[in-house]
Amino acid sequence: MESYEEFLQRIGKFEQEELCVGEGNFQTSEKVHKKVFPDNTFRPYYGDTVVFDLDSRTKKRIDRMIDTLYAAVPECFCERLTACTLHMTLHDLSASENKEEAAAAAFDNEIGLLRLLQEEPLKAQFIKMRPHFAVNMLGTSLVLALVPDSREQWEKLQVLYDFLSRIRQCPYPYLTPHVTLAYYNYSGFGEESVQKLKETVEEINRQPSFDIILNTQRLFYQKFVDMNSYFSVFRLSGN
């Protein structure tokens, strides 16, 4: 388990007030091309995941950040994410461009998770988070990075992450809590837009902080068919 101090040291290297995207033209990651068509609408992309659905107050506040981005630099992004899809991913399970491959993996994950929850039911609890910075996530998307309010909150989150890792290990080694704000334009964007995006992100990052309360009674196993279409299958925590 990554310690709270190790987590803060790791994210401090790339989660900063100034957006880290270089100075010249911005070229998006090939991962964007798996999820987005050249016309910047979302491609079919299939899989399953476990996410914290955010409360309506938090969604509205984050959606206002997205308003700011699309008003200032719409050319930097693809199709806009709808407010109802906003969530914090706890643990990705599977994802694929191939529908049959994704369905087979999701079937195994769903059965495994149901069995695990039957053996070890999750208790209801709250985890207090706060926004850190809006940051570039691997050249794929702009995200609002989140940090736990204390070591105790981090440890609660990490225990849940490790619990789900018993179903399927993530392809990446560590949890980096965030809410996706927007996926980048399929074709990237030019130097002038890079500068405007940096200025807009700095404006967002200077806004007053606020609490984000994750509630395990809003922790869902979900399936998706593209990056704007998530469907809750069941809730992980009861009482």
Side-chain angles (χ1 to χ4, degrees):
M1 179 187 294
E2 185 181 31
S3 72
Y4 186 53
E5 291 75 20
E6 289 169 337
F7 164 72
L8 292 177
Q9 184 177 24
R10 173 172 60 85
I11 65 170
K13 295 176 181 178
F14 66 95
E15 294 183 8
Q16 302 172 7
E17 184 173 327
E18 182 179 348
L19 185 65
C20 300
V21 291
E23 296 297 331
N25 294 341
F26 181 77
Q27 183 61 49
T28 54
S29 164
E30 286 297 318
K31 292 181 180 179
V32 173
H33 298 169
K34 293 182 178 182
K35 300 175 179 180
V36 177
F37 284 118
D39 68 357
N40 282 310
T41 58
F42 285 112
R43 287 182 184 271
Y45 194 68
Y46 309 96
D48 61 339
T49 184
V50 175
V51 310
F52 282 101
D53 184 36
L54 303 175
D55 62 78
S56 59
R57 176 190 65 86
T58 301
K59 286 181 178 179
K60 287 178 182 177
R61 192 148 187 174
I62 294 175
D63 198 45
R64 287 198 292 271
M65 296 180 186
I66 300 173
D67 283 340
T68 300
L69 292 168
Y70 276 80
V73 281
E75 71 276 12
C76 294
F77 307 111
C78 74
E79 176 183 353
R80 179 170 172 161
L81 295 170
T82 57
C84 65
T85 69
L86 296 175
H87 61 265
M88 194 205 90
T89 300
L90 175 60
H91 199 296
D92 285 321
L93 294 172
S94 69
S96 176
E97 300 164 85
N98 184 290
K99 188 174 183 178
E100 290 72 25
E101 179 181 290
F107 177 82
D108 291 340
N109 294 335
E110 183 175 355
I111 295 300
L113 181 54
L114 286 169
R115 287 174 176 166
L116 183 58
L117 290 170
Q118 187 174 28
E119 296 168 1
E120 301 179 40
L122 293 182
K123 294 181 180 179
Q125 61 178 325
F126 298 96
I127 301 173
K128 186 176 179 181
M129 310 285 287
R130 55 183 171 80
H132 198 204
F133 297 117
V135 301
N136 170 42
M137 185 61 79
L138 302 174
T140 300
S141 57
L142 187 72
V143 308
L144 181 65
L146 308 181
V147 291
D149 193 57
S150 65
R151 180 183 289 104
E152 177 187 6
Q153 304 304 306
W154 167 251
E155 289 174 354
K156 288 194 288 187
L157 194 63
Q158 189 68 52
V159 165
L160 288 172
Y161 180 81
D162 289 345
F163 177 81
L164 293 166
S165 293
R166 292 158 63 182
I167 300 300
R168 187 181 292 268
Q169 291 286 336
C170 276
Y172 42 86
Y174 301 114
L175 171 64
T176 304
H178 66 272
V179 178
T180 301
L181 300 174
Y183 286 92
Y184 291 127
N185 186 308
Y186 180 97
S187 302
F189 41 93
E191 185 175 354
E192 183 177 343
S193 295
V194 167
Q195 186 57 41
K196 287 170 61 180
L197 177 60
K198 285 185 174 183
E199 293 170 359
T200 306
V201 167
E202 286 181 15
E203 175 188 336
I204 290 172
N205 287 339
R206 288 194 295 267
Q207 293 178 4
S209 188
F210 58 97
D211 292 340
I212 297 176
I213 307 300
L214 304 179
N215 181 350
T216 55
Q217 291 190 306
R218 298 179 70 95
L219 181 61
F220 288 95
Y221 171 71
Q222 293 189 336
K223 296 181 181 180
F224 53 87
V225 296
D226 62 50
M227 293 295 94
N228 215 11
S229 304
Y230 288 75
F231 307 96
S232 293
V233 181
F234 57 81
R235 188 174 62 181
L236 271 67
S237 177
N239 299 320

PDB file of all heavy atoms in Angstrom, residues 191-221:
ATOM      1  N   GLU A 191      -0.246  26.417 -30.807  1.00  0.00           N
ATOM      2  CA  GLU A 191       0.482  27.108 -29.737  1.00  0.00           C
ATOM      3  C   GLU A 191      -0.366  28.198 -29.079  1.00  0.00           C
ATOM      4  O   GLU A 191      -0.328  28.387 -27.863  1.00  0.00           O
ATOM      5  CB  GLU A 191       1.757  27.716 -30.322  1.00  0.00           C
ATOM      6  CG  GLU A 191       2.662  28.368 -29.302  1.00  0.00           C
ATOM      7  CD  GLU A 191       3.966  28.837 -29.913  1.00  0.00           C
ATOM      8  OE1 GLU A 191       4.203  28.545 -31.105  1.00  0.00           O
ATOM      9  OE2 GLU A 191       4.748  29.480 -29.195  1.00  0.00           O
ATOM     10  N   GLU A 192      -1.125  28.940 -29.882  1.00  0.00           N
ATOM     11  CA  GLU A 192      -1.968  30.009 -29.327  1.00  0.00           C
ATOM     12  C   GLU A 192      -3.019  29.429 -28.385  1.00  0.00           C
ATOM     13  O   GLU A 192      -3.281  29.977 -27.310  1.00  0.00           O
ATOM     14  CB  GLU A 192      -2.638  30.796 -30.451  1.00  0.00           C
ATOM     15  CG  GLU A 192      -3.478  31.965 -29.955  1.00  0.00           C
ATOM     16  CD  GLU A 192      -4.081  32.774 -31.091  1.00  0.00           C
ATOM     17  OE1 GLU A 192      -3.604  32.629 -32.250  1.00  0.00           O
ATOM     18  OE2 GLU A 192      -5.025  33.533 -30.841  1.00  0.00           O
ATOM     19  N   SER A 193      -3.607  28.317 -28.787  1.00  0.00           N
ATOM     20  CA  SER A 193      -4.619  27.666 -27.931  1.00  0.00           C
ATOM     21  C   SER A 193      -3.982  27.081 -26.677  1.00  0.00           C
ATOM     22  O   SER A 193      -4.606  27.066 -25.614  1.00  0.00           O
ATOM     23  CB  SER A 193      -5.343  26.569 -28.719  1.00  0.00           C
ATOM     24  OG  SER A 193      -6.092  27.122 -29.776  1.00  0.00           O
ATOM     25  N   VAL A 194      -2.750  26.591 -26.801  1.00  0.00           N
ATOM     26  CA  VAL A 194      -2.031  26.090 -25.626  1.00  0.00           C
ATOM     27  C   VAL A 194      -1.913  27.192 -24.584  1.00  0.00           C
ATOM     28  O   VAL A 194      -2.170  26.982 -23.394  1.00  0.00           O
ATOM     29  CB  VAL A 194      -0.629  25.565 -26.017  1.00  0.00           C
ATOM     30  CG1 VAL A 194       0.230  25.347 -24.783  1.00  0.00           C
ATOM     31  CG2 VAL A 194      -0.741  24.273 -26.802  1.00  0.00           C
ATOM     32  N   GLN A 195      -1.541  28.387 -25.030  1.00  0.00           N
ATOM     33  CA  GLN A 195      -1.370  29.499 -24.095  1.00  0.00           C
ATOM     34  C   GLN A 195      -2.700  29.891 -23.464  1.00  0.00           C
ATOM     35  O   GLN A 195      -2.785  30.152 -22.248  1.00  0.00           O
ATOM     36  CB  GLN A 195      -0.753  30.698 -24.812  1.00  0.00           C
ATOM     37  CG  GLN A 195      -0.398  31.856 -23.893  1.00  0.00           C
ATOM     38  CD  GLN A 195       0.546  31.443 -22.770  1.00  0.00           C
ATOM     39  OE1 GLN A 195       1.483  30.672 -22.982  1.00  0.00           O
ATOM     40  NE2 GLN A 195       0.280  31.929 -21.554  1.00  0.00           N
ATOM     41  N   LYS A 196      -3.764  29.932 -24.263  1.00  0.00           N
ATOM     42  CA  LYS A 196      -5.089  30.271 -23.729  1.00  0.00           C
ATOM     43  C   LYS A 196      -5.561  29.215 -22.733  1.00  0.00           C
ATOM     44  O   LYS A 196      -6.163  29.539 -21.703  1.00  0.00           O
ATOM     45  CB  LYS A 196      -6.091  30.404 -24.883  1.00  0.00           C
ATOM     46  CG  LYS A 196      -5.925  31.652 -25.723  1.00  0.00           C
ATOM     47  CD  LYS A 196      -6.771  31.598 -26.987  1.00  0.00           C
ATOM     48  CE  LYS A 196      -8.253  31.496 -26.672  1.00  0.00           C
ATOM     49  NZ  LYS A 196      -9.064  31.446 -27.932  1.00  0.00           N
ATOM     50  N   LEU A 197      -5.263  27.951 -23.036  1.00  0.00           N
ATOM     51  CA  LEU A 197      -5.651  26.873 -22.123  1.00  0.00           C
ATOM     52  C   LEU A 197      -4.909  27.013 -20.801  1.00  0.00           C
ATOM     53  O   LEU A 197      -5.492  26.854 -19.723  1.00  0.00           O
ATOM     54  CB  LEU A 197      -5.366  25.517 -22.759  1.00  0.00           C
ATOM     55  CG  LEU A 197      -5.652  24.290 -21.888  1.00  0.00           C
ATOM     56  CD1 LEU A 197      -7.122  24.235 -21.473  1.00  0.00           C
ATOM     57  CD2 LEU A 197      -5.259  22.999 -22.610  1.00  0.00           C
ATOM     58  N   LYS A 198      -3.628  27.312 -20.863  1.00  0.00           N
ATOM     59  CA  LYS A 198      -2.848  27.492 -19.630  1.00  0.00           C
ATOM     60  C   LYS A 198      -3.431  28.607 -18.773  1.00  0.00           C
ATOM     61  O   LYS A 198      -3.579  28.467 -17.546  1.00  0.00           O
ATOM     62  CB  LYS A 198      -1.386  27.810 -19.971  1.00  0.00           C
ATOM     63  CG  LYS A 198      -0.576  26.627 -20.456  1.00  0.00           C
ATOM     64  CD  LYS A 198       0.878  27.036 -20.653  1.00  0.00           C
ATOM     65  CE  LYS A 198       1.745  25.858 -21.005  1.00  0.00           C
ATOM     66  NZ  LYS A 198       3.167  26.233 -21.134  1.00  0.00           N
ATOM     67  N   GLU A 199      -3.776  29.713 -19.400  1.00  0.00           N
ATOM     68  CA  GLU A 199      -4.337  30.841 -18.656  1.00  0.00           C
ATOM     69  C   GLU A 199      -5.678  30.476 -18.032  1.00  0.00           C
ATOM     70  O   GLU A 199      -5.965  30.853 -16.883  1.00  0.00           O
ATOM     71  CB  GLU A 199      -4.498  32.039 -19.599  1.00  0.00           C
ATOM     72  CG  GLU A 199      -3.172  32.612 -20.077  1.00  0.00           C
ATOM     73  CD  GLU A 199      -3.333  33.625 -21.195  1.00  0.00           C
ATOM     74  OE1 GLU A 199      -4.492  33.860 -21.614  1.00  0.00           O
ATOM     75  OE2 GLU A 199      -2.313  34.167 -21.674  1.00  0.00           O
ATOM     76  N   THR A 200      -6.482  29.726 -18.768  1.00  0.00           N
ATOM     77  CA  THR A 200      -7.796  29.328 -18.257  1.00  0.00           C
ATOM     78  C   THR A 200      -7.661  28.358 -17.088  1.00  0.00           C
ATOM     79  O   THR A 200      -8.381  28.468 -16.090  1.00  0.00           O
ATOM     80  CB  THR A 200      -8.627  28.682 -19.383  1.00  0.00           C
ATOM     81  OG1 THR A 200      -8.689  29.571 -20.497  1.00  0.00           O
ATOM     82  CG2 THR A 200     -10.038  28.373 -18.907  1.00  0.00           C
ATOM     83  N   VAL A 201      -6.729  27.419 -17.207  1.00  0.00           N
ATOM     84  CA  VAL A 201      -6.507  26.456 -16.131  1.00  0.00           C
ATOM     85  C   VAL A 201      -5.977  27.155 -14.876  1.00  0.00           C
ATOM     86  O   VAL A 201      -6.381  26.840 -13.760  1.00  0.00           O
ATOM     87  CB  VAL A 201      -5.567  25.330 -16.592  1.00  0.00           C
ATOM     88  CG1 VAL A 201      -5.076  24.498 -15.414  1.00  0.00           C
ATOM     89  CG2 VAL A 201      -6.282  24.431 -17.598  1.00  0.00           C
ATOM     90  N   GLU A 202      -5.090  28.115 -15.059  1.00  0.00           N
ATOM     91  CA  GLU A 202      -4.594  28.863 -13.909  1.00  0.00           C
ATOM     92  C   GLU A 202      -5.739  29.604 -13.215  1.00  0.00           C
ATOM     93  O   GLU A 202      -5.783  29.690 -11.985  1.00  0.00           O
ATOM     94  CB  GLU A 202      -3.505  29.837 -14.344  1.00  0.00           C
ATOM     95  CG  GLU A 202      -2.178  29.159 -14.674  1.00  0.00           C
ATOM     96  CD  GLU A 202      -1.096  30.138 -15.081  1.00  0.00           C
ATOM     97  OE1 GLU A 202      -1.278  31.350 -14.843  1.00  0.00           O
ATOM     98  OE2 GLU A 202      -0.074  29.693 -15.641  1.00  0.00           O
ATOM     99  N   GLU A 203      -6.670  30.127 -13.999  1.00  0.00           N
ATOM    100  CA  GLU A 203      -7.854  30.788 -13.431  1.00  0.00           C
ATOM    101  C   GLU A 203      -8.676  29.796 -12.605  1.00  0.00           C
ATOM    102  O   GLU A 203      -9.100  30.102 -11.485  1.00  0.00           O
ATOM    103  CB  GLU A 203      -8.704  31.361 -14.570  1.00  0.00           C
ATOM    104  CG  GLU A 203     -10.019  31.977 -14.133  1.00  0.00           C
ATOM    105  CD  GLU A 203     -10.900  32.363 -15.314  1.00  0.00           C
ATOM    106  OE1 GLU A 203     -10.352  32.589 -16.416  1.00  0.00           O
ATOM    107  OE2 GLU A 203     -12.131  32.417 -15.144  1.00  0.00           O
ATOM    108  N   ILE A 204      -8.874  28.604 -13.137  1.00  0.00           N
ATOM    109  CA  ILE A 204      -9.612  27.573 -12.410  1.00  0.00           C
ATOM    110  C   ILE A 204      -8.873  27.172 -11.136  1.00  0.00           C
ATOM    111  O   ILE A 204      -9.469  27.013 -10.063  1.00  0.00           O
ATOM    112  CB  ILE A 204      -9.852  26.346 -13.313  1.00  0.00           C
ATOM    113  CG1 ILE A 204     -10.869  26.695 -14.410  1.00  0.00           C
ATOM    114  CG2 ILE A 204     -10.317  25.130 -12.508  1.00  0.00           C
ATOM    115  CD1 ILE A 204     -11.028  25.619 -15.461  1.00  0.00           C
ATOM    116  N   ASN A 205      -7.563  27.032 -11.247  1.00  0.00           N
ATOM    117  CA  ASN A 205      -6.767  26.568 -10.110  1.00  0.00           C
ATOM    118  C   ASN A 205      -6.651  27.598  -8.986  1.00  0.00           C
ATOM    119  O   ASN A 205      -6.262  27.247  -7.872  1.00  0.00           O
ATOM    120  CB  ASN A 205      -5.379  26.143 -10.579  1.00  0.00           C
ATOM    121  CG  ASN A 205      -5.401  24.828 -11.330  1.00  0.00           C
ATOM    122  OD1 ASN A 205      -6.335  24.042 -11.191  1.00  0.00           O
ATOM    123  ND2 ASN A 205      -4.373  24.575 -12.129  1.00  0.00           N
ATOM    124  N   ARG A 206      -6.971  28.837  -9.292  1.00  0.00           N
ATOM    125  CA  ARG A 206      -6.944  29.876  -8.256  1.00  0.00           C
ATOM    126  C   ARG A 206      -8.282  30.035  -7.550  1.00  0.00           C
ATOM    127  O   ARG A 206      -8.401  30.818  -6.602  1.00  0.00           O
ATOM    128  CB  ARG A 206      -6.519  31.210  -8.864  1.00  0.00           C
ATOM    129  CG  ARG A 206      -5.034  31.274  -9.254  1.00  0.00           C
ATOM    130  CD  ARG A 206      -4.604  32.715  -9.533  1.00  0.00           C
ATOM    131  NE  ARG A 206      -5.302  33.257 -10.692  1.00  0.00           N
ATOM    132  CZ  ARG A 206      -4.819  33.217 -11.937  1.00  0.00           C
ATOM    133  NH1 ARG A 206      -3.634  32.655 -12.167  1.00  0.00           N
ATOM    134  NH2 ARG A 206      -5.500  33.745 -12.940  1.00  0.00           N
ATOM    135  N   GLN A 207      -9.289  29.298  -7.984  1.00  0.00           N
ATOM    136  CA  GLN A 207     -10.602  29.391  -7.337  1.00  0.00           C
ATOM    137  C   GLN A 207     -10.532  28.823  -5.917  1.00  0.00           C
ATOM    138  O   GLN A 207      -9.720  27.944  -5.627  1.00  0.00           O
ATOM    139  CB  GLN A 207     -11.643  28.632  -8.157  1.00  0.00           C
ATOM    140  CG  GLN A 207     -11.947  29.251  -9.514  1.00  0.00           C
ATOM    141  CD  GLN A 207     -12.949  28.442 -10.312  1.00  0.00           C
ATOM    142  OE1 GLN A 207     -13.503  27.446  -9.848  1.00  0.00           O
ATOM    143  NE2 GLN A 207     -13.204  28.868 -11.537  1.00  0.00           N
ATOM    144  N   PRO A 208     -11.392  29.317  -5.018  1.00  0.00           N
ATOM    145  CA  PRO A 208     -11.392  28.802  -3.639  1.00  0.00           C
ATOM    146  C   PRO A 208     -11.652  27.298  -3.606  1.00  0.00           C
ATOM    147  O   PRO A 208     -12.428  26.771  -4.416  1.00  0.00           O
ATOM    148  CB  PRO A 208     -12.545  29.574  -2.977  1.00  0.00           C
ATOM    149  CG  PRO A 208     -12.729  30.793  -3.812  1.00  0.00           C
ATOM    150  CD  PRO A 208     -12.384  30.393  -5.215  1.00  0.00           C
ATOM    151  N   SER A 209     -10.996  26.632  -2.679  1.00  0.00           N
ATOM    152  CA  SER A 209     -11.178  25.191  -2.543  1.00  0.00           C
ATOM    153  C   SER A 209     -12.544  24.885  -1.924  1.00  0.00           C
ATOM    154  O   SER A 209     -13.210  25.775  -1.377  1.00  0.00           O
ATOM    155  CB  SER A 209     -10.064  24.603  -1.674  1.00  0.00           C
ATOM    156  OG  SER A 209     -10.129  23.194  -1.679  1.00  0.00           O
ATOM    157  N   PHE A 210     -12.954  23.632  -2.018  1.00  0.00           N
ATOM    158  CA  PHE A 210     -14.219  23.194  -1.424  1.00  0.00           C
ATOM    159  C   PHE A 210     -14.126  21.709  -1.113  1.00  0.00           C
ATOM    160  O   PHE A 210     -13.286  20.996  -1.677  1.00  0.00           O
ATOM    161  CB  PHE A 210     -15.404  23.489  -2.345  1.00  0.00           C
ATOM    162  CG  PHE A 210     -15.303  22.852  -3.711  1.00  0.00           C
ATOM    163  CD1 PHE A 210     -15.940  21.645  -3.990  1.00  0.00           C
ATOM    164  CD2 PHE A 210     -14.582  23.462  -4.726  1.00  0.00           C
ATOM    165  CE1 PHE A 210     -15.859  21.063  -5.252  1.00  0.00           C
ATOM    166  CE2 PHE A 210     -14.493  22.884  -5.992  1.00  0.00           C
ATOM    167  CZ  PHE A 210     -15.130  21.684  -6.253  1.00  0.00           C
ATOM    168  N   ASP A 211     -14.953  21.265  -0.204  1.00  0.00           N
ATOM    169  CA  ASP A 211     -14.948  19.855   0.179  1.00  0.00           C
ATOM    170  C   ASP A 211     -15.718  19.021  -0.826  1.00  0.00           C
ATOM    171  O   ASP A 211     -16.753  19.445  -1.361  1.00  0.00           O
ATOM    172  CB  ASP A 211     -15.582  19.672   1.564  1.00  0.00           C
ATOM    173  CG  ASP A 211     -14.734  20.278   2.673  1.00  0.00           C
ATOM    174  OD1 ASP A 211     -13.531  20.487   2.452  1.00  0.00           O
ATOM    175  OD2 ASP A 211     -15.291  20.550   3.752  1.00  0.00           O
ATOM    176  N   ILE A 212     -15.207  17.832  -1.094  1.00  0.00           N
ATOM    177  CA  ILE A 212     -15.916  16.827  -1.886  1.00  0.00           C
ATOM    178  C   ILE A 212     -16.019  15.585  -1.006  1.00  0.00           C
ATOM    179  O   ILE A 212     -15.004  15.011  -0.609  1.00  0.00           O
ATOM    180  CB  ILE A 212     -15.162  16.499  -3.187  1.00  0.00           C
ATOM    181  CG1 ILE A 212     -15.091  17.743  -4.078  1.00  0.00           C
ATOM    182  CG2 ILE A 212     -15.823  15.340  -3.928  1.00  0.00           C
ATOM    183  CD1 ILE A 212     -14.277  17.557  -5.344  1.00  0.00           C
ATOM    184  N   ILE A 213     -17.231  15.208  -0.678  1.00  0.00           N
ATOM    185  CA  ILE A 213     -17.456  14.075   0.218  1.00  0.00           C
ATOM    186  C   ILE A 213     -17.838  12.845  -0.604  1.00  0.00           C
ATOM    187  O   ILE A 213     -18.890  12.814  -1.248  1.00  0.00           O
ATOM    188  CB  ILE A 213     -18.559  14.371   1.253  1.00  0.00           C
ATOM    189  CG1 ILE A 213     -18.252  15.679   2.005  1.00  0.00           C
ATOM    190  CG2 ILE A 213     -18.696  13.203   2.219  1.00  0.00           C
ATOM    191  CD1 ILE A 213     -16.943  15.664   2.770  1.00  0.00           C
ATOM    192  N   LEU A 214     -16.957  11.859  -0.602  1.00  0.00           N
ATOM    193  CA  LEU A 214     -17.252  10.585  -1.252  1.00  0.00           C
ATOM    194  C   LEU A 214     -18.042   9.721  -0.276  1.00  0.00           C
ATOM    195  O   LEU A 214     -17.667   9.579   0.884  1.00  0.00           O
ATOM    196  CB  LEU A 214     -15.967   9.877  -1.657  1.00  0.00           C
ATOM    197  CG  LEU A 214     -15.011  10.657  -2.555  1.00  0.00           C
ATOM    198  CD1 LEU A 214     -13.768   9.825  -2.859  1.00  0.00           C
ATOM    199  CD2 LEU A 214     -15.685  11.097  -3.849  1.00  0.00           C
ATOM    200  N   ASN A 215     -19.100   9.144  -0.761  1.00  0.00           N
ATOM    201  CA  ASN A 215     -19.998   8.350   0.074  1.00  0.00           C
ATOM    202  C   ASN A 215     -20.054   6.939  -0.510  1.00  0.00           C
ATOM    203  O   ASN A 215     -20.396   6.764  -1.680  1.00  0.00           O
ATOM    204  CB  ASN A 215     -21.390   9.002   0.066  1.00  0.00           C
ATOM    205  CG  ASN A 215     -22.399   8.278   0.922  1.00  0.00           C
ATOM    206  OD1 ASN A 215     -22.153   7.172   1.408  1.00  0.00           O
ATOM    207  ND2 ASN A 215     -23.567   8.881   1.101  1.00  0.00           N
ATOM    208  N   THR A 216     -19.707   5.926   0.277  1.00  0.00           N
ATOM    209  CA  THR A 216     -19.711   4.563  -0.263  1.00  0.00           C
ATOM    210  C   THR A 216     -21.115   4.090  -0.629  1.00  0.00           C
ATOM    211  O   THR A 216     -21.260   3.097  -1.345  1.00  0.00           O
ATOM    212  CB  THR A 216     -19.077   3.567   0.720  1.00  0.00           C
ATOM    213  OG1 THR A 216     -19.730   3.655   1.988  1.00  0.00           O
ATOM    214  CG2 THR A 216     -17.592   3.838   0.893  1.00  0.00           C
ATOM    215  N   GLN A 217     -22.143   4.797  -0.163  1.00  0.00           N
ATOM    216  CA  GLN A 217     -23.490   4.458  -0.618  1.00  0.00           C
ATOM    217  C   GLN A 217     -23.755   5.012  -2.020  1.00  0.00           C
ATOM    218  O   GLN A 217     -24.803   4.728  -2.608  1.00  0.00           O
ATOM    219  CB  GLN A 217     -24.523   4.962   0.382  1.00  0.00           C
ATOM    220  CG  GLN A 217     -24.467   4.189   1.700  1.00  0.00           C
ATOM    221  CD  GLN A 217     -25.629   4.495   2.610  1.00  0.00           C
ATOM    222  OE1 GLN A 217     -25.902   5.647   2.919  1.00  0.00           O
ATOM    223  NE2 GLN A 217     -26.328   3.456   3.041  1.00  0.00           N
ATOM    224  N   ARG A 218     -22.794   5.749  -2.545  1.00  0.00           N
ATOM    225  CA  ARG A 218     -22.834   6.197  -3.933  1.00  0.00           C
ATOM    226  C   ARG A 218     -21.675   5.575  -4.723  1.00  0.00           C
ATOM    227  O   ARG A 218     -21.248   6.109  -5.748  1.00  0.00           O
ATOM    228  CB  ARG A 218     -22.766   7.725  -4.008  1.00  0.00           C
ATOM    229  CG  ARG A 218     -23.932   8.429  -3.329  1.00  0.00           C
ATOM    230  CD  ARG A 218     -23.784   9.941  -3.436  1.00  0.00           C
ATOM    231  NE  ARG A 218     -23.974  10.398  -4.802  1.00  0.00           N
ATOM    232  CZ  ARG A 218     -25.127  10.849  -5.294  1.00  0.00           C
ATOM    233  NH1 ARG A 218     -26.202  10.907  -4.540  1.00  0.00           N
ATOM    234  NH2 ARG A 218     -25.210  11.264  -6.541  1.00  0.00           N
ATOM    235  N   LEU A 219     -21.175   4.448  -4.221  1.00  0.00           N
ATOM    236  CA  LEU A 219     -20.096   3.712  -4.892  1.00  0.00           C
ATOM    237  C   LEU A 219     -20.729   2.621  -5.751  1.00  0.00           C
ATOM    238  O   LEU A 219     -21.359   1.702  -5.226  1.00  0.00           O
ATOM    239  CB  LEU A 219     -19.147   3.111  -3.859  1.00  0.00           C
ATOM    240  CG  LEU A 219     -17.937   2.334  -4.390  1.00  0.00           C
ATOM    241  CD1 LEU A 219     -17.029   3.225  -5.231  1.00  0.00           C
ATOM    242  CD2 LEU A 219     -17.153   1.725  -3.225  1.00  0.00           C
ATOM    243  N   PHE A 220     -20.562   2.714  -7.073  1.00  0.00           N
ATOM    244  CA  PHE A 220     -21.278   1.836  -7.998  1.00  0.00           C
ATOM    245  C   PHE A 220     -20.333   1.044  -8.896  1.00  0.00           C
ATOM    246  O   PHE A 220     -19.288   1.541  -9.331  1.00  0.00           O
ATOM    247  CB  PHE A 220     -22.203   2.665  -8.902  1.00  0.00           C
ATOM    248  CG  PHE A 220     -23.402   3.229  -8.198  1.00  0.00           C
ATOM    249  CD1 PHE A 220     -23.372   4.524  -7.698  1.00  0.00           C
ATOM    250  CD2 PHE A 220     -24.557   2.477  -8.036  1.00  0.00           C
ATOM    251  CE1 PHE A 220     -24.472   5.058  -7.059  1.00  0.00           C
ATOM    252  CE2 PHE A 220     -25.671   3.000  -7.395  1.00  0.00           C
ATOM    253  CZ  PHE A 220     -25.628   4.304  -6.899  1.00  0.00           C
ATOM    254  N   TYR A 221     -20.751  -0.182  -9.165  1.00  0.00           N
ATOM    255  CA  TYR A 221     -20.178  -0.942 -10.269  1.00  0.00           C
ATOM    256  C   TYR A 221     -20.910  -0.486 -11.522  1.00  0.00           C
ATOM    257  O   TYR A 221     -22.143  -0.563 -11.596  1.00  0.00           O
ATOM    258  CB  TYR A 221     -20.366  -2.444 -10.051  1.00  0.00           C
ATOM    259  CG  TYR A 221     -19.981  -3.293 -11.254  1.00  0.00           C
ATOM    260  CD1 TYR A 221     -18.660  -3.452 -11.624  1.00  0.00           C
ATOM    261  CD2 TYR A 221     -20.967  -3.912 -12.032  1.00  0.00           C
ATOM    262  CE1 TYR A 221     -18.305  -4.216 -12.728  1.00  0.00           C
ATOM    263  CE2 TYR A 221     -20.624  -4.679 -13.129  1.00  0.00           C
ATOM    264  CZ  TYR A 221     -19.290  -4.825 -13.473  1.00  0.00           C
ATOM    265  OH  TYR A 221     -18.948  -5.575 -14.569  1.00  0.00           O
TER     266      TYR A 221
END
